[in-house]
Amino acid sequence: MVRLAGEVVVLEDRCPHRLAPLSAGAVVGATLECAYHGWRFEGSGRCVEVPSAGRERAAPPKARCGAPHGVVERHGLVFVALEPPLVELPGVEAFDDPAKVRVELDPFSGRYGAAQLVDNQLDAAHFAYLHRETFGSAQGRAVPDGEIVRSPWGFAMTMEMPIRARNDPLAVSGDHPLEQHRTMRYRYVAPFFVELELGYPVMGGSSVIVFFVQPETAERSTMYVTLLFEQPQGFTDAELAERVAFEYRVVREDLALQERFGDLAMPLDVTVECHVRSDRASLELRRCLAQLVLAP
Ligand code: FES
Ligand SMILES: [Fe+2]
């Protein structure tokens, strides 16, 4: 991926000449120049110059490197569709809300399964255990029923959960009870997008957490997390920094377990794992992914 003349360009990392990695090349003007013999490629992948053949000779028609079906820059990220996409890119209304403070966490890359990372974010049954040091509440061990509303390539789910706010800077900075309820509105869009809107009925305010997960290999993924905070009375810089540090702690609690999974492939056959009533979102995730995999 390079930026040529201001446009993000994605090309196959393989020069058509001797199949050298084009990622070792350099941007020269509006072209990408291969590091090996200096062939130059424009954004479409077409070769526009073969220096060894002399300037007067046109590049052979085969001198073209592969390009994806489409590239879109949105939400501060670059999305690449290798083939015509089945699912529209999800919009995120919260990104356009001027009342929200937006913070992008550093991307989390590692030995993670992309579907498992998404599953983790849709799962409310782990709060009381994996997050007992941050917001998990013993009162939240039994997960309330969330109502699932399907969309063509995903679903939404709303529930109310007790949380323990002792380590939550929003609660600690005010005079609030430590055990509280918060509303959670999940939105999932296949394959690897989750938006979670958290409402704090006791303290006021809300936050939205947006997750995009990028599978890189069968054993590596990167998770991009954006936080959007809204507080009726606003934040000081210190409060905001504390809030962000808290979210890093929560994500790290999740990832410390995710990276220990032996098998990073999620079974889409729902008879393989043992699902219970409170796993409805996880079950729906598997159904959506199966639908995507089986789509013609
Ligand atoms: S391998 Fe790229 S120019 Fe020769
Ligand atoms: Fe978690």
Side-chain angles (χ1 to χ4, degrees):
M1 184 169 74
V2 283
R3 208 176 268 280
L4 298 180
E7 288 293 307
V8 175
V9 166
V10 178
L11 298 173
E12 193 179 3
D13 193 14
R14 210 167 93 121
C15 175
H17 180 216
R18 288 292 172 266
L19 316 187
L22 273 177
S23 53
V27 173
V28 178
T31 64
L32 177 63
E33 184 182 272
C34 180
Y36 206 177
H37 311 97
W39 289 24
R40 290 185 180 176
F41 300 88
E42 61 179 18
S44 68
R46 191 173 71 95
C47 178
V48 291
E49 195 176 329
V50 178
S52 60
R55 284 186 181 276
E56 63 286 355
R57 288 196 190 220
K62 246 183 96 179
R64 163 175 281 283
C65 63
H69 170 81
V71 178
V72 174
E73 222 179 331
R74 198 176 297 167
H75 310 317
L77 296 168
V78 174
F79 295 86
V80 180
L82 298 179
E83 293 172 12
L86 290 166
V87 186
E88 289 278 310
L89 263 188
V92 182
E93 277 178 22
F95 283 160
D96 300 322
D97 181 350
K100 290 188 166 50
V101 180
R102 176 172 174 166
V103 179
E104 273 155 35
L105 301 189
D106 295 333
F108 300 92
S109 287
R111 187 189 163 276
Y112 310 121
Q116 288 167 348
L117 290 182
V118 168
D119 193 33
N120 179 207
Q121 299 310 333
L122 292 169
D123 175 315
H126 75 285
F127 299 163
Y129 294 91
L130 200 60
H131 297 301
R132 51 159 66 93
E133 299 299 323
T134 48
F135 69 95
S137 164
Q139 292 175 20
R141 285 178 186 160
V143 176
D145 282 350
E147 192 204 343
I148 291 199
V149 180
R150 270 298 304 249
S151 53
W153 291 103
F155 60 89
M157 181 178 71
T158 303
M159 59 163 62
E160 262 211 7
M161 281 288 288
I163 58 150
R164 192 172 61 105
R166 196 180 71 203
N167 294 329
D168 191 322
L170 265 183
V172 173
S173 61
D175 185 18
H176 298 295
L178 297 180
E179 293 285 344
Q180 303 180 8
H181 270 72
R182 74 179 170 196
T183 55
M184 312 187 57
R185 271 190 273 280
Y186 291 92
R187 185 165 63 100
Y188 164 74
V189 179
F192 304 125
F193 165 81
V194 177
E195 178 182 12
L196 170 55
E197 186 186 346
L198 305 167
Y200 301 83
V202 178
M203 296 185 282
S206 65
S207 52
V208 175
I209 312 179
V210 177
F211 303 89
F212 282 103
V213 180
Q214 162 71 55
E216 287 157 358
T217 68
E219 293 244 313
R220 280 194 75 80
S221 298
T222 295
M223 181 166 73
Y224 298 89
V225 183
T226 305
L227 311 171
L228 298 123
F229 299 116
E230 189 169 349
Q231 263 292 86
Q233 69 276 24
F235 289 103
T236 65
D237 287 352
E239 281 168 346
L240 189 62
E242 209 177 339
R243 188 85 191 128
V244 171
F246 181 80
E247 297 297 339
Y248 270 113
R249 280 184 64 195
V250 172
V251 175
R252 289 197 182 108
E253 287 171 338
D254 284 320
L255 296 184
L257 184 68
Q258 289 299 316
E259 66 193 13
R260 294 186 61 168
F261 273 55
D263 191 348
L264 299 185
M266 172 181 284
L268 298 184
D269 173 352
V270 298
T271 64
V272 173
E273 297 161 293
C274 186
H275 300 285
V276 292
R277 186 178 166 80
S278 49
D279 295 324
R280 272 188 286 177
S282 291
L283 203 52
E284 211 56 48
L285 166 68
R286 284 152 178 76
R287 290 194 187 115
C288 290
L289 287 173
Q291 178 191 347
L292 193 65
V293 168
L294 297 174

